[in-house]
Amino acid sequence: MAQAAQKITLSPSRDIAFDKLVLSQSNVRRIKAGVSIEELAEDIARRGLLQSLNVRPVLDAEGVETGKFEIPAGGRRFQALSLLVKQKRLAKFAPVPCIVREASSAILAEDDSLAENMQRVALHPLDQFRAFLALREKGQSDEEIAAAFFVAPAVVKQRMRLASVAPALLEVYAEDAMTLEQLMAFTVNPDHARQVQVWDAIKSSWSKEPFQIRRMLTETSVRASDRRAVFVGVSAYEAAGGTVLRDLFQGDDGGWLEDPALLDRLVSERLQVEAEAIAAEGWKWIEISVDLPYGYSHGMRRLFGEAEPMSEDEVAAHAGHLAEYRQLEEEHSGQDEISEDISERLAALELAMEVLEQRPLVYEADDVARAGVFVSLDRMGGLSVSRGFVCVEDEVPVIADGDCAVSDVAGQGGDGALSADQAAHVGTVITSGGQPMEALAEDEDDGALKPLPERLLVELTAHRTLALRETVGRSPDVAMTLLLVKLVNDTFRTTGASGSCLEASVREIYLSTQAPDLKDSVVAQTVDSRHAGWEADLPLGDDVILWDYLSALDQASRLALLAHCLSFGINAVHEKPNPYGAGISASGLSRRMAQSDILAKAVGLDMVDAGWEPTVETNLGRVPKARILDAVREAKGEGTTQLLDHLKKAEMAVEAERLLKGSGWLPEVLRRIDLDAGTGAGEGEAVKVASELAEEIALPDFLMADLPSEPAAMMAAE
């Protein structure tokens, strides 16, 4: 016969006067954690004791109850009650709800204390959010909720922000299929449909980091730190009706501007206002562009105005600042440390003097009437104004009636140059140009390894051309060899010598097709800095003085200047061959690219060191999926490639950018052919071209010393 289950008897509850309670030494909690005693006391004062104390009778030496009760479980609550009694907010004899366990119980006091602390389960963040939301819906403010639960108002606002996440994603989080950090990342964009779309795209992916979720949710937005947003101002953008996405859970640099079209319109309008103010100076034309390309002033002559002299008041102010600065320096020169107030004052004086010393330039009225201005944004979002550029057509001399020669002003309908008054009357021509953004439609992808797009090929080789210029510009010996190769070819080969990668006139090769990031690249800044240094030293404008200056230079300086000038004639750009005679031929292009490989090896060119990196914009987003996978395979191996092959092209390009960052991977066209161990298609033809090049040149031994000895080292990059 089955034995009946034994009935469970619960410990009885009763109210015990506070002065009869003592803290048990069997309480296992020794370390403070969580809510403080003071906060718990305030909570009990506000809402009463929500959980009874677990107590046992205190026995004397003979085992007789003394009327006192010890507390093995509930010690923090007891301490909070003690604080309230000490503050005289609770009576010393106030009844306290207690669960009383018999003294003879087989359950140890330590057992009760440990169980009470270990059996509790922390509230799920989603439950906390829903509870906060219920309190708000019943009339409590965020500040009141924060005060009631002793958290910062920002914590309440963050939990409330979870209300902007799609309900479907909240359920995913409730089932522990998503982390709290991932859920918080979805709050940057309140569009529920887009949130679900992003989750569906990444939920099966091996990588679904919060930063990736934020990036996908804000990919059509513009960061508030973007120079366009800095120039216009977020407040002006919002005043015009624009919305800003915010991230309450981490720093977001001011958020994301959700309406790029509105932002671009505001930038254009403000640039127009700035240009109209500059037009009052009488310039012939003003070109507006948010981002001027590298070499934007190619072919133009730059005017150099004279600094406007200081007024008497400005001279006096500058002298006063300088005197105070020197006095403070003298007074504190012997001190190891200068007080913060003095340091701030010295800095303020330096700034005031710098403002007075930076004088606006004054130009001749006739020069202003034929010259123009470029108005754009600098890298930090400030207004950039470059005055005094004269186009070639504005300098063509035409002899008018009278004894003086004047220049025709193209486009103004006159026969002679405009005076400043005439230019102001006709009005400055303000234009907004630059290359248009091309919509890159995603091509049909059949998985084949197709050739690189023509424009991308041109842009990549433009990067390589500029990097070659930079390295040749600081390699006088290589530059000399390159020049001799060109001159010997021109001298001893009367036909078939076209297609050299050096235009040795020297005529600067303008990179008409280029990626947007080219002008801000490391090599561009290096070339510009070196050019500015030479330009500042050279006595330009008088050939007699220039001749004497160059004649007096030491040999090292002459070679360095030769290398710099020669570098501007390098052309390693892959152009589309023209079968009808205009432009470069197919054979000429092959020869140019083969010779550029020889040059790259000679100067030890490394495009990774030159600052080029594969990104979605520069490469990965503009090639078929097969090429993206091939790049990851080369850099990370087949195993990593298999993790990407199921993704759509857009997601694949983004993931590939992350994986390739810092890997040193380069597309074939940017690699040093002598360092590339791969044997791609077309290699045989490249070897043939390089071999023919070596045979045709047939230079003397003393000129061949710096050139590769093996034909294989002269292969052209496909």
Side-chain angles (χ1 to χ4, degrees), residues 282-285 364-371 394 406-429:
W283 300 99
K284 179 182 177 184
W285 54 264
E364 294 293 337
D366 289 342
D367 287 338
V368 171
R370 67 171 60 90
D394 293 333
V406 295
S407 297
D408 176 44
V409 182
Q412 298 293 339
D415 294 330
L418 297 178
S419 67
D421 292 339
Q422 289 173 321
H425 176 72
V426 173
T428 303
V429 178

Side-chain angles (χ1 to χ4, degrees), residues 313-600:
D313 291 341
E314 289 173 330
V315 170
H318 187 278
H321 296 327
L322 182 60
E324 183 182 353
Y325 187 91
R326 289 175 175 172
Q327 181 181 353
L328 290 174
E329 269 193 329
E330 184 177 351
E331 291 175 354
H332 300 85
S333 60
Q335 299 180 6
D336 294 335
E337 293 186 5
I338 300 177
S339 68
E340 186 175 347
D341 292 342
I342 298 300
S343 296
E344 292 178 355
R345 181 55 183 165
L346 289 172
L349 290 171
E350 285 182 353
L351 180 60
M353 287 188 289
E354 184 178 346
V355 170
L356 291 172
E357 291 165 359
Q358 292 179 348
R359 312 302 300 163
L361 297 178
V362 179
Y363 302 87
E364 294 293 337
D366 289 342
D367 287 338
V368 171
R370 67 171 60 90
V373 182
F374 290 100
V375 178
S376 63
L377 302 183
D378 61 25
R379 298 180 65 183
M380 304 304 294
L383 183 68
S384 175
V385 180
S386 299
R387 292 176 171 84
F389 291 89
V390 182
C391 298
V392 175
E393 59 268 23
D394 293 333
E395 294 189 313
V396 177
V398 174
I399 305 301
D401 294 339
D403 298 329
C404 59
V406 295
S407 297
D408 176 44
V409 182
Q412 298 293 339
D415 294 330
L418 297 178
S419 67
D421 292 339
Q422 289 173 321
H425 176 72
V426 173
T428 303
V429 178
I430 301 176
T431 59
S432 179
Q435 297 184 4
M437 297 293 292
E438 295 182 359
L440 301 177
E442 185 169 333
D443 299 330
E444 293 184 4
D445 197 349
D446 56 5
L449 194 61
K450 299 178 181 179
L452 292 174
E454 189 68 26
R455 180 180 175 86
L456 176 59
L457 193 60
V458 173
E459 290 182 2
L460 292 175
T461 51
H463 263 290
R464 189 175 192 238
T465 296
L466 193 59
L468 280 171
R469 290 181 183 180
E470 197 282 317
T471 51
V472 171
R474 53 182 165 82
S475 306
D477 290 338
V478 174
M480 181 69 79
T481 303
L482 175 64
L483 178 59
L484 287 173
V485 168
K486 178 65 169 65
L487 296 180
V488 168
N489 275 323
D490 291 345
T491 302
F492 296 96
R493 297 175 64 239
T494 56
T495 60
S498 65
S500 173
C501 80
L502 172 66
E503 303 284 349
S505 304
V506 168
R507 175 178 61 85
E508 181 181 357
I509 306 303
Y510 179 62
L511 306 176
S512 58
T513 302
Q514 57 183 255
D517 63 335
L518 183 61
K519 73 181 183 67
D520 292 328
S521 64
V522 174
V523 290
Q525 294 173 10
T526 305
V527 170
D528 290 345
S529 176
R530 186 171 61 222
H531 189 77
W534 276 114
E535 189 175 36
D537 292 340
L538 292 171
L540 303 175
D542 189 321
D543 288 344
V544 175
I545 298 176
L546 179 61
W547 181 276
D548 293 339
Y549 175 86
L550 295 177
S551 299
L553 284 178
D554 58 78
Q555 186 67 3
S557 298
R558 288 163 59 86
L559 287 174
L561 180 57
L562 170 65
H564 176 72
C565 295
L566 197 67
S567 69
F568 278 79
I570 293 174
N571 186 358
V573 175
H574 186 288
E575 299 176 39
K576 187 174 183 179
N578 191 332
Y580 302 105
I584 195 168
S585 64
S587 61
L589 178 62
S590 297
R591 180 180 178 82
R592 173 190 291 177
M593 303 314 292
Q595 196 176 96
S596 70
D597 287 324
I598 298 174
L599 185 57

